[in-house]
Structures are given as structure tokens and as C-alpha cells.
Amino acid sequence: PFAALAEDVIAVLNAMRLPDTTKVHLCGHDWGGVIAAVVARTHPERWASVTSAAIPPGTVRFVFAAALTGSNS
């Protein structure tokens, strides 16, 4: 589910008709913080910065494991 939600974030940016080279600041809270981490890893060229705040306990391990293995689901 995280990969689909990450693609939704990119779809919102594309709907805003921003040039592909525009870098934006992304902030996610709670499970949105996990999505922010996934989308930052899958589309690093789109972000000026990424902030994940108050992510649920235990998800830090998931985010780092996903980053190391290339999994985002």
C-alpha cells in the first residue's frame, strides 16, 4: 500500500503542473511520515527536503529495512 500512496503524492505534484525539475519540501505526520520516507526514496529528485514527524512506533525499522532492500510495499 505504501508504494501506491507514494505514487499518489507524485500525482498531486504532477496535477499542480510543476516542472519536473521543481524541488519541493515534503512533510508527513504519523503514517504520512512513513509515506514521506517511501516517496523520498523512490523519487529523490523531487524533494528539497523531507520531514517525517511522529511516525508510529516500530515503523522506523520498516523504513530503514525498506531503504536497504528496495522494498516499498
Side-chain angles (χ1 to χ4, degrees):
F2 296 120
L5 293 170
E7 290 306 314
D8 287 347
V9 173
I10 297 301
V12 168
L13 289 179
N14 292 339
M16 294 172 63
R17 299 178 190 252
L18 298 172
D20 287 343
T21 57
T22 301
K23 293 187 178 230
V24 298
H25 301 277
L26 176 65
C27 181
H29 177 264
D30 199 39
W31 281 103
V34 177
I35 302 304
V38 172
V39 75
R41 185 176 50 78
T42 57
H43 296 280
E45 71 283 356
R46 300 299 297 261
W47 316 113
S49 67
V50 177
T51 303
S52 292
I55 61 175
T59 58
V60 171
R61 183 173 22 148
F62 162 79
V63 171
F64 285 113
L68 293 174
T69 64
S71 171
N72 61 2
S73 55

